[in-house]
Structures are given as structure tokens and as C-alpha cells.
Amino acid sequence: MQELTEEAVWATARAWCDAWNRRDLNAIMELYADDVEFNSPTIVHRWGNANGWIRGKDRLRANFEVGVKAPHLRFELIDVLLGVGAMCIIYRRESGTLVSDLIELDGQGLGRRVFSCYSRAR
């Protein structure tokens, strides 16, 4: 994997938020690896998976198909943090909820393992 730069992770985060705001599921999915593992409180509520995990791009797509239908959907990019082989996107949802997605990247720079954490809505 090539070295992550601040410019590259910001560009990725902007494109990701923009894809969500356009409800462009294909563009959203381009950022994830086929063998993605995704952990989120939404998985518990939406699918009844008590451990919060779904695995595989097809399952993630099915999850996001529900997500893009949220009324008044809007992601506001707040910050992007750069790690070693990882990035963290911090954004605010249309509900006021602050979200942090910690994304471990694979060798091609795609999201391989994701931990999504939510604040309470304000």
C-alpha cells in the first residue's frame, strides 16, 4: 500500500460524504474491500446482530441500501485523522449525531475493517 497522506485521506473522506449525500450507493461501495468487516450500532438495531458485525461487501451493501433511505440524509464532514494503514472519518449526521468511522485499509487502500461509533443526538 502506498503511504497515506493527509491530502489523500481528506479527498477520500470528502468523496465518501458526498456519495452519501447524493445517495449514490455504487460510489459508496467503491471504497470498501470485498472481504470488508463492518461493526456499528446500526447493525445491532437494523439486523439484530448482537455483536454489531457484518462481513462481506454484499452484506455491507444491503446494510447501506437501508441507510441511504434515511429521511433528510446528510453527512457533514468534521475531521479526518490519519493513522498507519488506517484513517478515521468524523462526521455529523442529519440527526445531529456525531459519528467516528475508524477504517483499517487493505493493500489497495480500500476499507477492510471498520469500527463505527456514535454519540447521542444533540
Side-chain angles (χ1 to χ4, degrees), residues 45-56:
H45 302 296
R46 193 173 287 157
W47 305 107
N49 293 9
N51 66 7
W53 285 103
I54 56 173
R55 290 174 175 80

Side-chain angles (χ1 to χ4, degrees), residues 45-90:
H45 302 296
R46 193 173 287 157
W47 305 107
N49 293 9
N51 66 7
W53 285 103
I54 56 173
R55 290 174 175 80
K57 201 168 185 176
D58 290 340
R59 294 281 317 274
L60 184 61
R61 184 181 186 89
N63 182 60
F64 288 169
E65 283 176 342
V66 175
V68 296
K69 295 176 184 172
H72 313 292
L73 178 71
R74 183 81 187 145
F75 286 14
E76 174 194 355
L77 183 60
I78 304 295
D79 205 353
V80 183
L81 308 177
L82 181 60
V84 178
M87 63 186 287
C88 183
I89 302 174
I90 302 168

Side-chain angles (χ1 to χ4, degrees), residues 1-115:
M1 175 170 59
Q2 57 183 310
E3 181 181 348
L4 295 175
T5 65
E6 188 172 341
E7 295 80 18
V9 296
W10 272 95
T12 298
R14 283 187 193 105
W16 183 80
C17 283
D18 182 56
W20 273 100
N21 291 336
R22 291 189 331 265
R23 300 173 190 257
D24 185 342
L25 190 56
N26 290 329
I28 294 165
M29 295 309 301
E30 287 177 5
L31 302 172
Y32 296 95
D34 289 339
D35 60 348
V36 64
E37 296 178 289
F38 185 84
N39 181 280
S40 173
T42 60
I43 302 304
V44 175
H45 302 296
R46 193 173 287 157
W47 305 107
N49 293 9
N51 66 7
W53 285 103
I54 56 173
R55 290 174 175 80
K57 201 168 185 176
D58 290 340
R59 294 281 317 274
L60 184 61
R61 184 181 186 89
N63 182 60
F64 288 169
E65 283 176 342
V66 175
V68 296
K69 295 176 184 172
H72 313 292
L73 178 71
R74 183 81 187 145
F75 286 14
E76 174 194 355
L77 183 60
I78 304 295
D79 205 353
V80 183
L81 308 177
L82 181 60
V84 178
M87 63 186 287
C88 183
I89 302 174
I90 302 168
Y91 58 100
R92 188 171 312 281
R93 293 283 313 253
E94 69 286 344
S95 62
T97 300
L98 190 63
V99 184
S100 168
D101 282 1
L102 176 60
I103 307 162
E104 178 184 350
L105 303 168
D106 70 5
Q108 286 72 49
L110 298 173
R112 165 67 183 89
R113 191 166 166 95
V114 180
F115 291 90

